[in-house]
Amino acid sequence: MTSVQLSESYRLRLEQLLADALSIEDVSPSRLHEAMRYSALAGGKRIRPTLVYASGEALGVPIAALDRIAVAVECIHAYSLVHDDLPAMDDDDLRRGIPTAHKAFDEATAILSGDALQAFAFEWLSEPIEGISAQSQLRLIQGLSAAAGSRGMVGGQAIDLASVGQQLTEKQLEVMHAHKTGALIDACILLPSYCSELVTEQQRDSLTRYATAIGLAFQVQDDILDVESDTATLGKQQGADIAANKPTYPSILGMDGAKQKLRELHQEAFNALDMFGSEADLLRDIARFIVQRIK
């Protein structure tokens, strides 16, 4: 099976697992559960869970453990998007080509559905996983909690909101995105390493460097697409960052500088995987996809 076929296989696997895990639409309160499914099952690139599977594949981790992690991180990601789109945050009307949760339902239901998706992620991850010790499972929960909290994704969103209209340095922008985007991507790549006692610190260090590079590359490409793409392709409002007066890589480095930064990060990601053989090919393909994607 090629890396492209494998990536699609993992995406379809995640879609089915997520649909099964959230088969709660008829459970009271039904409107809340409908809103949870609306946001979590709305499609998307599913890069984060695919990274979970790709990292686990490189490390030889059992698929059952990866399934648990993949669903949990996608629920965390879905909740973050629901909250990011709220009027008090980015005030977006479109997400993945459809109305955002607060437009499709209402603001209160959107907030509660995001809260519920976050709680569900940890409920799901705390279920016993065959072949994984309780101690290792606690490390998974701790790692995802840190990545999602004030020292990770939520902290990055707070920095983002405080930076509107501000002139940031490149380093300050990098710190913001290392929290807002990078922390959860780091978790996707590193959490599988806690599921096997055979993983070495050298392997974990290699994956950490890879994760740092692609996490930042993802955001640089996002900033470029916000300028060069269009709303129909992106599935969300093109030019939203410019309209909101947010600092971006093109605004700080210029478009040529941002694209050069993207190329450098791509190379850093590839170099980080030098110690791995073909078992890490899917990770390499994901790095390539991140810098070449059009939405």
Side-chain angles (χ1 to χ4, degrees):
M1 186 179 292
T2 67
S3 293
V4 172
Q5 291 171 325
L6 195 56
S7 179
E8 179 64 7
S9 173
Y10 284 142
R11 187 189 66 79
L12 293 174
R13 183 182 182 91
L14 183 279
E15 297 283 358
Q16 188 59 59
L17 286 166
L18 200 57
D20 291 345
L22 292 172
S23 58
I24 49 178
E25 65 268 36
D26 295 328
V27 179
S28 181
S30 58
R31 183 171 171 80
L32 172 62
H33 292 139
E34 181 186 352
M36 290 169 66
R37 286 176 57 86
Y38 177 85
S39 297
L41 302 179
K45 295 177 285 292
R46 307 299 194 194
I47 288 177
R48 289 158 187 81
T50 304
L51 280 168
V52 171
Y53 288 117
S55 176
E57 181 179 301
L59 298 170
V61 176
I63 194 76
L66 301 179
D67 285 341
R68 284 281 162 183
I69 299 170
V71 169
V73 298
E74 190 63 9
C75 285
I76 291 289
H77 179 54
Y79 121 73
S80 75
L81 297 182
V82 171
H83 282 196
D84 284 358
D85 290 337
L86 290 168
M89 300 283 189
D90 292 346
D91 194 17
D92 284 323
D93 295 341
L94 283 176
R95 172 68 68 176
R96 294 169 174 167
I98 60 175
T100 49
H102 67 275
K103 290 293 184 180
F105 294 86
D106 56 72
E107 192 172 344
T109 301
I111 292 170
L112 292 174
S113 69
D115 293 342
L117 282 167
Q118 179 181 208
F120 181 81
F122 292 105
E123 176 187 350
W124 183 256
L125 196 57
S126 64
E127 291 280 343
I129 303 173
E130 185 178 353
I132 304 299
S133 69
Q135 183 177 5
S136 294
Q137 201 161 350
L138 282 173
R139 291 193 73 181
L140 296 180
I141 295 169
Q142 181 185 38
L144 186 57
S145 300
S150 62
R151 293 168 295 164
M153 183 181 67
V154 173
Q157 178 70 356
I159 297 170
D160 188 16
L161 292 171
S163 299
V164 173
Q166 303 295 313
Q167 186 64 42
L168 300 187
T169 65
E170 182 183 352
K171 182 60 179 177
Q172 288 172 322
L173 188 61
E174 185 174 323
V175 168
M176 179 178 81
H177 290 312
H179 287 73
K180 183 179 178 181
T181 305
L184 190 57
I185 286 178
D186 286 359
C188 292
I189 295 163
L190 290 175
L191 290 182
S193 74
Y194 302 135
C195 297
S196 172
E197 296 179 1
L198 300 177
V199 176
T200 67
E201 285 306 312
Q202 186 181 8
Q203 287 175 312
R204 196 170 281 127
D205 177 67
S206 175
L207 290 174
T208 298
R209 287 185 286 113
Y210 168 85
T212 299
I214 66 160
L216 189 54
F218 189 94
Q219 189 58 54
V220 175
Q221 180 67 346
D222 246 18
D223 288 354
I224 291 170
L225 291 175
D226 189 63
V227 177
E228 293 190 339
S229 190
D230 57 79
T231 298
T233 301
L234 292 174
K236 58 183 180 180
Q237 185 62 50
Q238 182 269 340
D241 290 342
I242 297 172
N245 199 22
K246 286 188 174 185
T248 65
Y249 278 94
S251 70
I252 290 175
L253 302 178
M255 186 57 75
D256 288 343
K259 290 181 178 179
Q260 177 60 31
K261 178 77 171 179
L262 189 63
R263 288 191 291 269
E264 291 170 359
L265 290 167
H266 185 210
Q267 189 59 53
E268 286 177 24
F270 264 71
N271 292 345
L273 298 176
D274 280 349
M275 70 169 296
F276 291 97
S278 60
E279 70 275 12
D281 279 351
L282 183 53
L283 287 173
R284 295 182 180 96
D285 283 349
I286 293 172
R288 190 177 297 110
F289 168 79
I290 284 173
V291 303
Q292 295 177 348
R293 65 194 174 91
I294 61 172
K295 62 180 180 179

